[in-house]
Amino acid sequence: MVPVILGRLALSILLGLGIVAGLIWGEVIAIPNHLNPFTPLRIADDVGWLTRLKLSRLERDGEQCRAVLADSFVSHRSVPDRPLEQGCGLSDAVEVSRSLVGLSREFTATCSLTVVWALFEVHVLRPAARQHFGQDVVRVTHFGTYACRNVNHRANGRRSEHATANAIDIAGFVLADGQQITVKSDWTGSNARRSAFLRTLRNGACDFFDVVLSPDYNEAHHDHFHFDMGPYRACR
């Protein structure tokens, strides 16, 4: 008798969830965008447990990804696809000239990496600057995105995410008052506030990027953060 009751209870719960999902899908029930699994990601939305799910959809749906960028503050233009040759090429990439902050130079990146970079700026970078320094970041210095090479520039081994413009290396930041904070000088430097700021960025980036590597990872990253949207997960 108990299994029958439990079975009926489970069926009732499933039916109830189905009805609620249908009402949400049909917009009969209004809920915030960041709590609605059926609405596309918006960069300005609060971050929640659905954020990574929505990000994963963008990686599979280039059209939806471009729609998210079109509705954002990121100044960009589409870049023609470049078929893979020896593991290097471009697909669904954009050239970014500016976002919420200035850039040391333009960069080309996959659409999904660009969306995640924008999320990082809004939800990690700018709040961290205000928390630690009471002001905004006005420029980001980076080492680039696309480079047809292997991981850590090795002669042999697997291709880096840079080989498909699916990674970006960040070297430093300039604050509104002109202060320059660099990973190379300030990760283990004498200025505790700058070091804490960089660690806040590293830790916060792990909520969005699939791989985040800092000077704590190895010597090859002593002067920059590596962020990518590859198939692996790492936060070091």
Side-chain angles (χ1 to χ4, degrees):
M1 188 65 180
V2 173
V4 174
I5 294 174
L6 291 177
R8 289 176 178 174
L9 178 60
L11 180 60
S12 298
I13 292 173
L14 288 174
L15 288 173
L17 291 174
I19 292 170
V20 171
L23 293 174
I24 293 173
W25 173 265
E27 299 184 351
V28 176
I29 297 177
I31 62 174
N33 190 69
H34 72 287
L35 297 177
N36 188 338
F38 302 112
T39 57
L41 176 74
R42 286 201 302 251
I43 291 168
D45 285 342
D46 292 337
V47 176
W49 64 276
L50 289 172
T51 302
R52 290 202 68 89
L53 172 64
K54 294 185 177 186
L55 279 174
S56 68
R57 292 175 185 165
L58 298 188
E59 293 183 82
R60 301 188 301 268
D61 189 337
E63 183 177 351
Q64 186 181 120
C65 185
R66 289 188 294 274
V68 171
L69 278 185
D71 189 42
S72 76
F73 47 79
V74 179
S75 298
H76 67 284
R77 67 175 185 84
S78 295
V79 175
D81 287 353
R82 189 183 305 170
L84 284 178
E85 293 185 7
Q86 297 182 338
C88 298
L90 298 174
S91 178
D92 281 326
V94 296
E95 184 179 273
V96 178
S97 56
R98 183 177 177 85
S99 48
L100 274 181
V101 301
L103 300 167
S104 56
R105 56 190 170 96
E106 296 178 345
F107 66 76
T108 297
T110 59
C111 181
S112 59
L113 179 71
T114 304
V115 168
V116 177
W117 172 257
L119 286 166
F120 171 75
E121 284 189 342
V122 171
H123 300 287
V124 180
L125 178 58
R126 298 187 84 197
R130 293 175 185 138
Q131 173 191 346
H132 292 280
F133 303 104
Q135 58 183 301
D136 284 329
V137 169
V138 296
R139 189 167 74 254
V140 171
T141 302
H142 66 89
F143 288 159
T145 50
Y146 179 75
C148 184
R149 63 174 176 82
N150 294 335
V151 173
N152 290 334
H153 299 272
R154 293 171 182 150
N156 300 305
R158 66 180 174 86
R159 285 299 196 194
S160 167
E161 290 301 311
H162 285 288
T164 52
N166 204 30
I168 186 169
D169 290 338
I170 303 300
F173 310 88
V174 180
L175 301 180
D177 66 1
Q179 286 188 70
Q180 297 188 39
I181 303 168
T182 67
V183 176
K184 181 178 181 179
S185 298
D186 296 309
W187 184 258
T188 56
S190 58
N191 190 311
R193 186 162 55 168
R194 292 185 178 189
S195 297
F197 168 68
L198 291 175
R199 280 163 175 76
T200 298
L201 297 186
R202 190 271 309 275
N203 296 340
C206 296
D207 292 332
F208 297 102
F209 296 96
D210 287 335
V211 171
V212 175
L213 303 178
S214 72
D216 283 349
Y217 177 52
N218 61 15
E219 178 60 24
H221 295 83
H222 74 282
D223 60 352
H224 69 277
F225 292 140
H226 169 95
F227 300 153
D228 79 45
M229 290 301 292
Y232 305 100
R233 290 284 291 161
C235 177
R236 302 178 183 176

